[in-house]
């Protein structure tokens, strides 16, 4: 597969996610009616969260308008250290933060996340990103041999709903916390594309590395998160040795794209969707949403991603 096609597939994968979260998933805008009341309620809740459980303190950090500085990254790592490496949600957040903070205590973070990462390919890849070069191959093999790629969106979203329940005093307030929470959950879920791109170039023959890439891509393609699944399919298509071998992944990609495009205009209006997403995961919640509206889960035979759905 040439570079242009690989770049096009990367854009395809991003398109699935943008379609899936385009409606109702931005942080509440300052011009929306009731915004001031929502921010006032958050101001009252923040001190309670900031002195609560590790997940409550995480929610307080994620409510900050700017979560890209060293102080914020340091606070996320501190939550992992305080938790002792028991919570996979905190582990994933801390590993992401550690990769962006030059003074991160990497050895301590790696030690605390080793047991949690065991069978989780995502955490193993995040650990690889902050490890010394001589550990990369072992962590890559651990990721390829894992049994799951745990969905960070579902973890983050379920935790957000639980700890921000005090904000849901009215329907309008509940809607705003849902909008903000979904924005936060998707913002922290981006897969590590660099490691996969560097280690999984287009395949010309089957070898051990190709088999590892395929196994890891299969785990990602089975994820309950739309973006992770689409990235997994991207790499399965990239690793295919022929058009015939790529065809099943192309068809599954078409189906994900179809569902994402159909669901995007419905998410904001369907009150039950956010909690279905926390309970089932994003892909199953989108299928539930389409069934609620009597819409087909599979596209017509000649439909291609980006084309109008006709609904």
């Amino acid at each position: 597969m040439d570079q242009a096609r690989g770049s096009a597939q990367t854009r395809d994968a991003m398109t699935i996610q943008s379609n899936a979260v385009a409606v109702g998933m931005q942080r509440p805008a300052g011009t929306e009616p009731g915004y001031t009341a929502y921010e006032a309620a958050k101001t009252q809740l923040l001190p309670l969260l900031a002195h609560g459980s590790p997940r409550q303190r995480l929610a307080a950090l994620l409510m900050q308008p700017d979560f890209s500085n060293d102080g914020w990254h340091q606070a996320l790592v501190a939550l992992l250290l305080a938790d002792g490496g028991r919570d996979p949600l905190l582990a994933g957040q801390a590993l992401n933060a550690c990769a962006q903070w030059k003074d991160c205590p990497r050895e301590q973070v790696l030690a605390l996340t080793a047991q949690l990462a065991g069978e989780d390919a995502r955490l193993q890849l995040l650990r690889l990103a902050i490890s010394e070069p001589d550990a990369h191959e072992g962590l890559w093999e651990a990721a390829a041999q894992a049994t799951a790629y745990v969905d960070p969106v579902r973890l983050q979203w379920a935790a957000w709903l639980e700890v921000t329940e005090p904000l849901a005093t009215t329907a309008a307030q509940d809607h705003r916390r849902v909008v903000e929470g979904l924005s936060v959950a998707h913002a922290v879920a981006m897969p590590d594309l660099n490691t996969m791109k560097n280690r999984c170039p287009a395949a010309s023959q089957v070898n051990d590395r190709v088999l590892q890439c395929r196994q890891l891509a299969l785990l990602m393609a089975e994820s309950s998160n739309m973006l992770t699944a689409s990235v997994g399919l991207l790499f399965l298509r990239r690793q295919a040795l022929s058009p015939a071998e790529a065809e099943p992944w192309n068809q599954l990609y078409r189906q994900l794209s179809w569902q994402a495009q159909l669901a995007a205009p419905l998410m904001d209006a369907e009150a039950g969707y956010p909690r279905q997403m926390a309970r089932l995961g994003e892909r199953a919640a989108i299928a539930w949403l389409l069934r609620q509206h009597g819409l087909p889960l599979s596209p017509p035979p000649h439909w291609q991603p980006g084309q109008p759905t006709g609904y």
Side-chain angles (χ1 to χ4, degrees):
M1 179 181 300
D2 59 30
Q3 184 175 2
R5 186 179 173 196
S7 298
Q9 287 193 349
T10 301
R11 290 193 298 271
D12 286 349
M14 298 297 97
T15 298
I16 286 187
Q17 185 70 359
S18 64
N19 284 333
V21 302
V23 177
M25 305 230 179
Q26 295 79 30
R27 286 179 183 266
T31 56
E32 287 184 6
Y35 174 80
T36 302
Y38 176 72
E39 289 300 307
K42 280 172 56 177
T43 299
Q44 292 181 338
L45 180 62
L46 275 170
L48 300 177
L49 295 181
H51 294 89
S53 69
R55 284 198 170 188
Q56 287 174 321
R57 301 204 300 273
L58 173 62
L61 283 172
L62 295 175
M63 287 181 184
Q64 305 299 323
D66 177 17
F67 46 81
S68 59
N69 57 58
D70 279 353
W72 191 80
H73 295 142
Q74 183 177 1
L76 287 175
V77 172
L79 285 181
L80 170 71
L81 302 183
D83 177 65
R86 294 185 296 270
D87 188 334
L89 175 58
L90 298 178
Q93 291 278 11
L95 285 164
N96 268 322
C98 193
Q100 301 172 70
W101 175 34
K102 64 181 179 62
D103 295 322
C104 177
R106 283 171 165 74
E107 292 303 318
Q108 195 173 3
V109 170
L110 287 168
L112 279 175
T113 55
Q115 185 172 353
L116 271 179
E119 294 298 322
D120 182 351
R122 174 176 176 266
L123 289 185
Q124 295 289 16
L125 290 176
L126 290 175
R127 297 179 76 242
L128 187 155
I130 67 166
S131 65
E132 294 296 330
D134 60 1
H136 286 184
E137 195 60 33
L139 289 170
W140 169 258
E141 290 178 1
Q145 293 167 9
T147 57
Y149 191 103
V150 177
D151 178 4
V153 171
R154 187 176 179 185
L155 279 177
Q156 180 62 67
W157 176 232
W160 177 277
L161 280 183
E162 179 182 352
V163 303
T164 62
E165 184 64 31
L167 291 176
T169 54
T170 67
Q173 298 290 79
D174 189 37
H175 173 73
R176 286 180 176 81
R177 76 163 181 137
V178 163
V179 169
E180 182 170 16
L182 288 174
S183 174
V184 165
H186 283 91
V188 302
M190 184 66 187
D192 178 13
L193 289 179
N194 287 332
T195 299
M196 291 287 287
K197 283 166 63 177
N198 292 338
R199 289 180 173 264
C200 300
S204 58
Q205 61 182 359
V206 175
N207 54 36
D208 288 345
R209 176 53 57 83
V210 168
L211 293 175
Q212 289 174 336
C213 290
R214 288 181 178 181
Q215 176 60 24
L216 187 50
L218 276 171
L219 291 179
M220 297 177 76
E222 293 168 355
S223 171
S224 60
N225 174 247
M226 293 290 278
L227 177 55
T228 301
S230 64
V231 169
L233 289 171
L234 181 159
F235 282 103
L236 286 170
R237 296 158 73 190
R238 194 179 190 185
Q239 296 289 301
L241 301 182
S242 68
E245 198 173 78
E247 186 59 19
W249 313 124
N250 291 335
Q251 293 306 317
L252 184 52
Y253 172 77
R254 284 179 64 248
Q255 185 176 46
L256 286 187
S257 298
W258 170 261
Q259 292 180 5
Q261 283 185 223
L262 278 183
L266 304 174
M267 292 175 181
D268 198 41
E270 180 58 62
Y273 173 76
R275 284 157 187 82
Q276 290 292 338
M277 182 175 156
R279 186 172 71 88
L280 303 172
E282 186 178 34
R283 286 173 68 180
I286 284 177
W288 170 86
L289 180 62
L290 297 181
R291 291 190 187 100
Q292 289 291 106
H293 291 263
L295 296 171
L297 299 185
S298 297
H302 302 296
W303 182 86
Q304 293 300 320
Q307 294 178 346
T309 63
Y311 288 92

